[in-house]
Amino acid sequence: MIIGIGSDLCDIRRIEKSLERHAERFTHRLFTETERAKAEGRAHRAATYAKRFAAKEACAKALGTGIRRGVFWKDMGVVNLPSGAPTMALTGGAAERLKAITPAGHRAVIHLTITDDHPWAQAFIVIEALPEAGT
């Protein structure tokens, strides 16, 4: 069953300006160490950051909170599954919110797709609750 859906569109140029103006202050405030390592190793780092920014916004929407009520930017991080597919790793308030919206006897799975086509980056998230094995 679907327990959350979120989407976001981000202007890559806006992220480029934030990187120019605030550099590490911006990246360390919003992005996890894993996300920063991925972006800093890319030729189009602003697009990489913009996709991750959009994913965080989409995730916060899917959780039903936005970036408030104990859910912070670095509580949500884009990570890759062994297949290479992106998903979200949640900690802190975001993990607590996910637990709260997941029905008893179920486990949450976060499906994420991210894309960019300059000047836009886009993310779409579906949070699915799957029955636990044996229920």
Side-chain angles (χ1 to χ4, degrees), residues 42 57 81 97-99:
R42 297 280 173 95
E57 287 276 12
L81 298 171
R97 176 64 182 164
L98 181 61
K99 183 178 178 182

Side-chain angles (χ1 to χ4, degrees), residues 61-123:
K61 291 171 185 175
L63 291 170
T65 60
I67 307 296
R68 56 185 165 73
R69 293 180 31 199
V71 175
F72 300 101
W73 292 108
K74 287 173 54 173
D75 288 347
M76 303 168 287
V78 176
V79 296
N80 294 90
L81 298 171
S83 67
T87 189
M88 299 297 290
L90 304 185
T91 60
E96 290 174 21
R97 176 64 182 164
L98 181 61
K99 183 178 178 182
I101 66 172
T102 303
H106 290 74
R107 65 181 176 86
V109 177
I110 300 175
H111 304 279
L112 166 64
T113 184
I114 53 179
T115 190
D116 68 281
D117 187 8
H118 200 277
W120 302 108
Q122 182 179 32

